[in-house]
Amino acid sequence: VRQWTLGVDIGGTKLAAGRVDDSGVITRRRERPTPTGDGATVWDALVAVVDDVLAGEGIAQIGVGCGGPMDRAGGCVSPLNIPGWREFPLRDQLQDRYGARVALHNDAIAMALGEQQFGAGRGSDAFLGMVVSTGVGGGLVIGGRPVDGRTGNAGHIGHVVVDPAGPRCTCGGRGCLEAIARGPAVIAWAREQGWAGDGDRAQGPALVATARAGDPIALAALTRAGQAVGVALASAVALTDVDVVAIGGGLANAAGDLLIGPARTAFAAHGQLDFVRGCAIRAAALGADAGIVGAAALVGIDGAGAAD
Amino acid sequence: VRQWTLGVDIGGTKLAAGRVDDSGVITRRRERPTPTGDGATVWDALVAVVDDVLAGEGIAQIGVGCGGPMDRAGGCVSPLNIPGWREFPLRDQLQDRYGARVALHNDAIAMALGEQQFGAGRGSDAFLGMVVSTGVGGGLVIGGRPVDGRTGNAGHIGHVVVDPAGPRCTCGGRGCLEAIARGPAVIAWAREQGWAGDGDRAQGPALVATARAGDPIALAALTRAGQAVGVALASAVALTDVDVVAIGGGLANAAGDLLIGPARTAFAAHGQLDFVRGCAIRAAALGADAGIVGAAALVGIDGAGAAD
């Protein structure tokens, strides 16, 4: 019987869990949409997903990546996109229900750890994983360990300033990468330029599809977002001296080179120091599985939010 | 007899060394201008400074901060501002001459370590020290240890992009903080706006003096540089989650609040996430001594460039 670890990925769109084996492969996976509603409703949905993955087997350790912000020391989460959970005692609730130790971290950091251990960052000793999706986030993995910073928030590349005179950001700042490159901002910019969408399709997939079909506005929107990503990466690599960056998340996974190509071009234009040029900019390799695989990888990282 | 450590600070302008006691106080200090000329000339000047500080006493360990870039693994330095030294085997030369173990790092990282241990960053577990001088540099100290990154170059805040459409940087990029805030760039900008200098005084001190006397162009030049520093810090703190930043270096030490005030204002405008707002932006506390004190502090940091 192969060993497996339970990885749980909690976001505003879906709740997902899986059994992850020692080589980072998910052998049983379940997910359901994140319910809107009160905290108990969200909790019940999470339990249903986890129970389905466990299928009656016990589990000694659970790794959890969850949208931020969170109080990691206390094990309480207040995900921006899950209004029903505010200071929700996720770690204690999971421990009580499953009798398992729980390792908890921000979802972007879990994703980064998954990519570093089993995906596009394999073998890198100084790695930045980033997500371009509804939001823009990231995580640093140095020497095989997630970098926490003082409050567990290191890696917030979405709030690197790429244009001081740029658009307002939801954080209250101005010109953050996230204000330009998050999916809804890319779509809003395309709409302003006259992009008409694609019938009833969801706007993110429609934007990518019309860009692939040659729509110049859709292409320009993804190019603009990719350039902003590249500028932010030039700054991030100068500061952190990582040697591999992987870009994942819903929008980046869908757009592929339409986003990552312009990111590489802008990175090359701005990041000219030798050690910066030596950094590889890659597409993430694990797709939508990175969150679960990375959450499972949190188990075994000392101090990754596990209660004593 | 108090214990002391030898700290050596090697830059393009001066060669400095001092005995540093356990509380970070320099008890005997010597310096001389960095000679222009070949490698042997620079080496002879360095030896004269070190011999003067040693005054015939032996030394078991030497800490050295040196301008970059360098090959830390090999102990060879190629400081941009010391043309006579290219792949100069500084570590082996010092070891051979003094029979001492040598801990070597970039000067900005040594300065950051000095400020973290004995200056404005004391007590911080996640600290960024930066220098605004002829160049703009920095170093991260997390958990009491300098952060190296893959090639020992982490902390290069001077090459964080603060304006993607901004001026060309000496690195080849565009809109780097250094291209706007380094002393020569600040003076060049003031000259372009019509600043006339102050007689025969050196331009850096003259710029600060005329700003203090109310010259609007000189004030605007320092404000512009400070704002760029603040934008870069908003990006850097979002990425690294440090809780204290200290700003030192020749221009910042001279200009004080004329530079750091606008930096704080721009930082507050752009850095709006709670964990970013919680970071303190301080003036460095050790002045011109930070390099020597920090170099001495490299001794005792595992793996800080010491040969085995």
Side-chain angles (χ1 to χ4, degrees), chain B residues 201-241:
Chain B
R201 291 182 72 169
Q203 298 197 86
L207 188 79
V208 173
T210 56
R212 285 201 197 291
D215 182 301
I217 298 175
L219 277 169
L222 293 172
T223 298
R224 177 174 174 269
Q227 287 170 336
V229 168
V231 169
L233 287 177
S235 296
V237 176
L239 264 174
T240 60
D241 192 11

Side-chain angles (χ1 to χ4, degrees), chain A residues 57-258:
Chain A
E57 295 190 53
I59 183 78
Q61 296 190 87
I62 303 176
V64 182
C66 184
M70 67 177 59
D71 162 23
R72 287 184 66 229
C76 293
V77 301
S78 310
L80 276 180
N81 297 315
I82 305 180
W85 281 4
R86 287 296 173 269
E87 294 293 320
F88 182 79
L90 178 63
R91 192 180 64 202
D92 286 355
Q93 296 256 122
L94 285 169
Q95 280 171 344
D96 289 350
R97 174 162 182 104
Y98 296 103
R101 281 171 57 94
V102 175
L104 172 69
H105 220 316
N106 283 292
D107 51 358
I109 288 179
M111 171 272 182
L113 185 62
E115 289 286 344
Q116 191 273 326
Q117 290 206 355
F118 301 108
R122 200 186 287 217
S124 168
D125 203 50
F127 174 74
L128 172 64
M130 70 178 290
V131 175
V132 182
S133 181
T134 309
V136 177
L140 291 159
V141 183
I142 310 279
R145 295 178 52 86
V147 175
D148 295 331
R150 182 181 60 99
T151 66
N153 282 298
H156 262 77
I157 192 169
H159 300 278
V160 164
V161 179
V162 295
D163 180 1
R168 279 269 164 217
C169 183
T170 48
C171 77
R174 186 179 283 285
C176 299
L177 172 60
E178 182 167 284
I180 295 171
R182 66 191 291 256
V186 178
I187 290 162
W189 185 87
R191 290 266 184 213
E192 285 168 20
Q193 311 299 312
W195 180 70
D198 185 14
D200 291 336
R201 292 183 70 170
Q203 298 199 83
L207 188 79
V208 172
T210 56
R212 284 201 198 291
D215 182 300
I217 298 176
L219 277 169
L222 293 172
T223 298
R224 176 173 174 268
Q227 287 170 336
V229 168
V231 170
L233 287 177
S235 296
V237 176
L239 265 174
T240 60
D241 192 12
V242 296
D243 64 348
V244 179
V245 172
I247 306 176
L251 180 62
N253 291 339
D257 276 348
L258 296 182

Side-chain angles (χ1 to χ4, degrees), chain B residues 69-94:
Chain B
M70 67 176 60
D71 162 23
R72 288 184 65 227
C76 293
V77 301
S78 309
L80 276 180
N81 298 315
I82 306 180
W85 280 4
R86 287 296 173 269
E87 294 292 321
F88 183 79
L90 178 62
R91 192 180 64 202
D92 286 354
Q93 297 254 122
L94 285 168

Side-chain angles (χ1 to χ4, degrees), chain A residues 22 37 51 60 65 74 78 80 89 104 112 175 237 260 278 284 289 291 308:
Chain A
D22 293 345
D51 285 351
S78 310
L80 276 180
L104 172 69
V237 176
I260 295 175
D289 289 345
D308 292 321

